[in-house]
């Protein structure tokens, strides 16, 4: 069997399966209807589902059936979804819209949005625990890793550092640390979870962690670049939101040219970390290029 | 070895150990200091720690070392603590004080309180996953059970139902359903987790679940009774907060005499469910009596 699969085909197939898994899991549970509606609303809000796709692409790259990672991939996307609901709250980023739809608290109120986030976070661990396709040892490794990547040492800590850094001029190191925690850690979970499910060696886990670390930073640099160049191309649109919000950004700290150099550096490092690894890496390379070349 | 231990002695010893375990776990982790302070603040806020004590008392009753349940007990109390932080938020119960101290968001702000709650919930699963004294199979059972008891099918669902039931006259069945979810499910986790760690049989798990179910309802009925009788005894104190908040209560729905009958019924049922169980039950009986006879 050839492992060369087109990322777009793979993504279309598994994006739908991950969404069905998440929504099916929540829908079949017995709970008060307002919280079920609130949870499903945000789970349906879409996006590229890049995290679960990376997780499943790693499993595919090891020649295993991505189906083995479906529950973990759905759990991961639930954690990402909970973090968006809580980040959008009035006391945090106070966002009214996400991907063109009203944010969760705008539709269901603040209390329900907080509880829906709590519910999704709790369900993510339940989904992994209820998986019947992998061993208890693997499940416990995944629970532990997910907690470390999503919790105060990971994503939640990154959100705290981001709030603390508002309206301050950060150093590049401080900015990088925020992004490593806020965005990078869940991408690291994506890659490592796929490897744990595939039974990869310690050495390969290290290489995949390196890969995810660099694409996470590349992702964020490209975000900052798009916030400026995206708007420059669209006449009549206001100045980039980062500048409006006085956020420290890579172009702001390094100039646009410096930011683009750094973007290329992290892409090169990401690709280099895959060399010599015992798996088919073509889809992972595609994901890295996709992150750097995306225009939205 | 005699298993007859005085509850108060047991509680004093293990209350401290559970607190040390929770605070030690958070303190040693690498995270931004504002969230660490916020998490530790609420973990230190005290209380009777009745949930972890019940969990450890079950293990003791099976003749095992309560030390085996220490991480799970600390995880459970972290979940309870996170739920208090989120319940106190302005968009929920909007409480300024808890046990005489300012609530978390009053000290650290709303954003940090939400994130501290998220962090404690995430850490609770990590604590169980990192336990080295029990098997992966046991840990996965505990993760699954904790998620079901704490999440939208359990405690979080109870909080939703409680919010939905505000300013409505509920039936006794509706009131009971709220309490079973909001308070009862974590007490059920306490008893069942102790049994899982002790290797109890399915039949014994069922009896302990029954026990916890009834003491959970007794706990809530006594809460409602104290909200009225506690104030009647203390001259100059305002009318009970339940009446002020127009909350449905057992005395309100059943009369005070009816509520006291129901309290005795649940105590009797709790004690009856322990009969014929293969463990020393004296501390569990003491806990049931303590819940019914407490005056605060």
């Amino acid at each position: 069997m050839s492992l060369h699969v087109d990322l777009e085909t793979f993504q279309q197939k598994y994006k739908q399966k991950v969404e069905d898994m998440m929504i099916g899991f929540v829908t079949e549970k017995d709970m008060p209807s307002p919280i079920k509606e609130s949870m499903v609303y945000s789970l349906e809000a879409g996006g590229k589902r890049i995290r679960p796709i990376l997780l499943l692409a790693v499993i595919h790259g090891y020649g295993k059936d991505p189906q083995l990672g479906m529950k973990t991939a759905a759990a991961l996307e639930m954690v990402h979804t909970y973090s968006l609901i809580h980040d959008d709250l009035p006391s945090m980023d106070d966002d009214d819209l996400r991907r063109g739809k009203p944010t969760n608290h705008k539709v269901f109120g603040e209390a329900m949005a907080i509880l829906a986030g709590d519910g999704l976070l709790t369900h993510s661990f339940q989904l992994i625990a209820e998986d019947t396709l992998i061993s208890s040892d693997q499940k416990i490794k995944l629970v532990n890793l997910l907690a470390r990547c999503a919790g105060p040492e990971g994503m939640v800590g990154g959100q705290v550092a981001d709030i603390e850094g508002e309206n301050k001029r950060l150093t590049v190191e401080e900015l990088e640390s925020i992004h490593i925690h806020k965005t990078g850690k869940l991408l690291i979970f994506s890659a490592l979870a796929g490897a744990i499910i595939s039974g990869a060696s310690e050495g390969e886990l290290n290489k995949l962690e390196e890969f995810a670390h660099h694409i996470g930073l590349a992702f964020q640099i490209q975000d900052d670049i798009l916030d400026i160049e995206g708007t420059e191309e669209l006449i009549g649109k206001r100045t980039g939101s980062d500048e409006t919000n006085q956020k420290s950004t890579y172009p702001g700290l390094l100039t646009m040219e410096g930011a683009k150099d750094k973007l290329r550096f992290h892409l090169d490092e990401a690709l280099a970390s895959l060399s010599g690894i015992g798996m088919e890496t073509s889809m992972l390379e595609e994901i890295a290029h996709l992150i750097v070349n995306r225009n939205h």
Side-chain angles (χ1 to χ4, degrees), chain A:
Chain A
M1 168 180 112
S2 166
L3 294 176
H4 284 282
V5 167
D6 176 54
L7 178 63
E8 209 179 310
T9 314
F10 188 85
Q11 190 165 17
Q12 265 176 13
K13 176 176 175 185
Y14 286 105
K15 189 175 174 296
Q16 191 60 51
K17 280 175 178 270
V18 169
E19 286 169 10
D20 292 347
M21 173 70 78
M22 292 191 296
I23 292 162
F25 186 85
V26 171
T27 306
E28 75 184 21
K29 298 288 182 287
D30 186 24
M31 67 180 85
S33 55
I35 188 169
K36 188 179 280 191
E37 284 168 34
S38 169
M39 289 165 78
V40 169
Y41 176 83
S42 288
L43 289 174
E44 283 178 342
K48 290 183 282 290
R49 313 292 191 190
I50 192 80
R51 291 160 193 80
I53 294 301
L54 172 58
L55 189 159
L56 299 171
V58 169
I59 299 177
H60 177 84
Y62 276 109
K64 310 265 180 179
D65 185 352
Q67 207 62 34
L68 290 173
M70 197 55 66
K71 285 217 159 91
T72 308
L76 165 61
E77 191 67 8
M78 278 188 177
V79 170
H80 176 59
T81 306
Y82 120 76
S83 77
L84 300 180
I85 297 173
H86 282 191
D87 284 3
D88 287 339
L89 287 166
S91 61
M92 306 256 203
D93 298 348
D94 194 14
D95 279 317
D96 293 351
L97 287 174
R98 173 161 300 270
R99 297 199 189 97
K101 283 174 69 179
T103 45
N104 195 293
H105 65 272
K106 281 282 160 189
V107 180
F108 299 94
E110 254 184 271
M112 206 56 69
I114 292 167
L115 291 165
D118 294 346
L120 288 169
L121 174 58
T122 311
H123 264 177
S124 71
F125 293 103
Q126 191 172 342
L127 241 172
I128 294 174
E130 288 184 3
D131 199 336
T132 54
L133 301 178
I134 56 176
S135 71
S136 291
D137 281 345
Q138 283 174 312
K139 289 192 272 187
I140 277 299
K141 271 189 198 168
L142 293 169
V143 166
N144 195 347
L145 185 64
L146 181 57
R148 281 191 284 127
C149 290
E153 299 141 84
M155 182 184 71
V156 163
Q159 174 69 358
V160 173
D162 196 15
I163 293 171
E164 296 289 301
E166 273 168 15
N167 305 316
K168 280 184 201 158
R169 187 176 167 89
L170 303 174
T171 65
V172 176
E173 290 69 30
E174 287 168 336
L175 184 64
E176 197 154 285
S177 172
I178 290 172
H179 293 318
I180 287 171
H181 290 87
K182 194 172 169 175
T183 315
K185 291 287 182 180
L186 269 202
L187 283 165
I188 288 173
F189 177 81
S190 312
L192 292 187
I196 288 168
I197 291 166
S198 308
S201 69
E202 273 303 313
E204 294 187 339
L205 287 171
N206 291 339
K207 287 181 177 192
L208 284 166
E209 179 165 355
E210 193 78 4
F211 170 76
H213 170 86
H214 287 293
I215 64 168
L217 286 170
F219 187 93
Q220 205 54 54
I221 297 168
Q222 179 65 359
D223 240 30
D224 287 355
I225 292 171
L226 286 173
D227 193 67
I228 295 168
E229 297 207 332
T231 55
E232 280 177 2
E233 282 161 27
L234 298 167
I235 297 160
K237 216 180 151 206
R238 272 176 298 169
T239 324
S241 66
D242 290 336
E243 202 180 324
T244 313
N245 299 332
Q246 294 198 286
K247 280 215 148 189
S248 296
T249 67
Y250 285 96
L253 294 176
L254 299 172
T255 74
M256 181 57 82
E257 202 188 321
K260 287 185 176 176
D261 281 348
K262 209 166 172 60
L263 178 65
R264 271 186 297 271
F265 167 79
H266 287 297
L267 173 62
D268 291 345
E269 289 291 308
L271 297 174
S273 59
L274 295 177
S275 76
I277 198 167
M279 64 183 294
E280 162 60 46
T281 58
S282 59
M283 265 206 292
L284 272 53
E285 290 163 29
E286 272 195 81
I287 290 173
H289 283 290
L290 182 77
I291 281 173
V292 171
N293 297 321
R294 75 203 158 94
N295 55 16
H296 64 281

